[in-house]
Amino acid sequence: MRQSTVPSPLSRRTFLTGSLAAAAALSLSACGSSSRSSTKDGVTTLTLSTQNPDIKSADPSTWEILQGFEAANADVKIEASGQAVAEHLQSLSIAAQSDTLPDVFWVYKYTAEQMSQSSMLLDLGPVIDELGVASRIPQSVRKGFTNSEGVLYGVPYQSLLTGLWCNTAIFAEHGVEVPTTFEELLTVTKTFAGAGMTTIANGANQSAFSVWSFLTWLSRFGFADHIAGILDGSDTYANDDFIRCYTHIAELRDAGAFASNVSTQSYQQAVDSFLNGKAAMLDAGVWAASAIQGSGIASTIAFWKGAEFSDGVGDQNIIMNVASAPFSVDHKVGKDKDKLAALKKFLGYYYSDNAQQIMADNGQSPVTDYEPTLDGAEQSVLKTAIEASRAKGVTSPEAQPDLLVSTAVANTMYDSIYGVIQGQLTPETAVKLVQDAIKAE
């Protein structure tokens, strides 16, 4: 969940010119450096910097993969460290300016792309080709992490599979079914609202990023067709397609879909309301599977990809199942034969079936084409999400919309959506707000 629980990538201006000298020493220490000797007593050390201060507890799948890798590769040590996302991205910005990036690091796609254009990152295309794993990583992911010069600047860290968790027992209790279309969703919402039930659990307080299902809505209204033009100025975020998208959010609000305290409750409180039977749906992703599995409603859970729209743009049978922010590698690793060899071992292990099963065992969807073994009873919640993502005919966008823009724009996108949900913005003022943020860059 880390990749979507905070603002999106640093803006180009911040990345290239930000002056943070006062914090430099602390930040660089936390990030790690590639400049020291990499091999000692036959053991090569790779530094890995992530977005979690406590990897073991916050990201157990990565932690277990690291333990498994080191157990199988006594000649390589992964020196892992982490910071909260904002501090981590700030540290990377400083390190990039002094060419002291960690060997391997988690970073937002937008920031990684800027780094790659400045030749700061290793081209990972030849590496994954040599390892024989390129064909196992979805082509859309490889394309999404490839810059205009054909450099593969990142490889998938975890999958970002989002949608709406549905408590089918609540649907049955009120005599309705999980919807397919937006019109059906409106009908269901009115039924729930009439009974005093929240339809979709969201929480805006200190978690304004938690609008995953509505980011998917943008993809159903042509975001992929519009975004390049929006960023180069030939198109606008305040277009008719996006206005229709936001209008449907307003219609859902007016039908009573959201909790009356949506503006004051946090994401975690929204999760709790769903687990306690106070909401029929939860706007989240696979990271919520473990909490739902451990609750009393696990046996009644379905995973819905979200509403299809008769006035949408393009394919409506989509689910947001994309790579989250990638792992990137400092360009200097390619000049150190020991580190490069260690990197190949690490990535070979990370994309092995064994590591992908570790992801599944920790509630994550694999990032390769690996079909995980899932316990029908103990992992029923995760299983329903993975099955939904792999259903016949279902496709996925190349990237979640907020990962294609800068921090400032992403924050404004979240605010614009919650502004409509809370009745503070009209659809027209909401899209204009985002367009103004884009023009201000």
Side-chain angles (χ1 to χ4, degrees):
M1 169 174 139
R2 301 293 89 174
Q3 61 277 4
S4 287
T5 59
V6 295
S8 215
L10 295 174
S11 70
R12 181 181 310 213
R13 181 162 51 254
T14 299
F15 169 66
L16 293 176
T17 64
S19 177
L20 300 165
L26 175 61
S27 299
L28 288 175
S29 173
C31 237
S33 171
S34 301
S35 61
R36 60 188 172 186
S37 175
S38 62
T39 304
K40 183 178 181 181
D41 298 328
V43 177
T44 300
T45 297
L46 284 177
T47 56
L48 171 66
S49 183
T50 79
Q51 81 289 14
N52 289 305
D54 184 351
I55 300 174
K56 184 175 182 179
S57 62
D59 188 1
S61 65
T62 298
W63 176 259
E64 288 190 28
I65 289 173
L66 293 177
Q67 305 314 299
F69 171 75
E70 290 193 342
N73 296 273
D75 58 340
V76 180
K77 176 177 175 54
I78 304 295
E79 190 175 276
S81 63
Q83 297 170 281
V85 177
E87 290 81 3
H88 174 74
L89 292 174
Q90 183 183 79
S91 296
L92 292 177
S93 177
I94 296 168
Q97 294 174 46
S98 57
D99 199 18
T100 55
L101 286 165
D103 297 323
V104 184
F105 53 93
W106 178 97
V107 63
Y108 272 117
K109 168 183 165 63
Y110 185 92
T111 307
E113 188 159 357
Q114 307 313 310
M115 289 180 173
S116 72
Q117 298 291 0
S118 300
S119 301
M120 297 177 184
L121 303 180
L122 180 67
D123 183 358
L124 295 169
V127 174
I128 64 170
D129 283 341
E130 179 183 332
L131 293 172
V133 300
S135 63
R136 304 201 61 189
I137 297 172
Q139 182 180 5
S140 61
V141 173
R142 302 196 309 274
K143 181 179 178 182
F145 291 154
T146 299
N147 70 16
S148 59
E149 298 175 351
V151 172
L152 183 70
Y153 56 77
V155 287
Y157 150 67
Q158 287 180 356
S159 175
L160 185 57
L161 172 54
T162 69
L164 290 160
W165 295 102
C166 302
N167 185 340
T168 60
I170 292 178
F171 282 81
E173 178 185 343
H174 292 85
V176 294
E177 296 182 354
V178 175
T180 298
T181 66
F182 176 72
E183 290 75 17
E184 292 171 354
L185 175 60
L186 270 183
T187 299
V188 166
T189 295
K190 292 172 183 176
T191 297
F192 287 143
M197 170 69 63
T198 296
T199 300
I200 303 176
N202 287 91
N205 186 23
Q206 298 182 337
S207 47
F209 49 78
S210 58
V211 287
W212 299 283
S213 65
F214 301 106
L215 294 172
T216 305
W217 281 25
L218 281 169
S219 292
R220 291 194 174 100
F221 280 86
F223 191 88
D225 298 331
H226 284 288
I227 186 59
I230 289 171
L231 294 180
D232 69 20
S234 61
D235 197 349
T236 175
Y237 194 92
N239 61 73
D240 291 342
D241 295 331
F242 290 4
I243 290 174
R244 290 200 310 279
C245 178
Y246 279 74
T247 297
H248 290 316
I249 298 174
E251 290 171 346
L252 201 60
R253 173 204 66 209
D254 292 343
F258 309 104
S260 59
N261 65 338
V262 66
S263 62
T264 59
Q265 83 174 353
S266 67
Y267 164 74
Q268 187 55 55
Q269 288 171 324
V271 173
D272 292 342
S273 71
F274 177 70
L275 297 181
N276 292 327
K278 296 179 180 179
M281 304 183 195
L282 171 66
D283 186 353
V286 290
W287 56 83
S290 295
I292 298 172
Q293 191 72 58
S295 72
I297 63 173
S299 63
T300 67
I301 293 298
F303 190 81
W304 182 38
K305 64 183 179 5
E308 298 182 11
F309 297 86
S310 58
D311 61 347
V313 176
D315 186 7
Q316 297 295 297
N317 189 20
I318 63 172
I319 194 168
M320 191 60 71
N321 183 26
V322 300
S324 66
F327 276 142
S328 290
V329 178
D330 179 39
H331 70 101
K332 294 192 297 297
V333 170
K335 302 173 183 177
D336 184 322
K337 65 179 181 63
D338 292 333
K339 282 193 175 184
L340 183 59
L343 172 72
K344 291 176 180 177
K345 288 183 178 181
F346 175 63
L347 293 183
Y349 184 86
Y350 196 86
Y351 298 114
S352 69
D353 290 351
N354 181 51
Q356 296 302 297
Q357 183 62 46
I358 290 174
M359 287 188 182
D361 290 343
N362 285 277
Q364 292 287 340
S365 176
V367 296
T368 70
D369 60 2
Y370 173 69
E371 294 283 349
T373 300
L374 299 175
D375 185 292
E378 298 297 324
Q379 294 176 291
S380 61
V381 174
L382 177 62
K383 186 176 181 180
T384 190
I386 292 178
E387 288 177 347
S389 73
R390 299 184 177 184
K392 185 177 180 180
V394 174
T395 61
S396 175
E398 288 187 6
Q400 186 169 271
D402 62 332
L403 296 180
L404 298 175
V405 297
S406 70
T407 303
V409 174
N411 283 338
T412 309
M413 286 172 65
Y414 309 146
D415 291 343
S416 71
I417 292 171
Y418 264 123
V420 174
I421 287 174
Q422 297 173 75
Q424 299 170 342
L425 298 173
T426 66
E428 291 77 11
T429 56
V431 295
K432 184 179 183 301
L433 188 70
V434 181
Q435 178 59 27
D436 288 346
I438 293 168
K439 288 178 64 176
E441 294 202 309

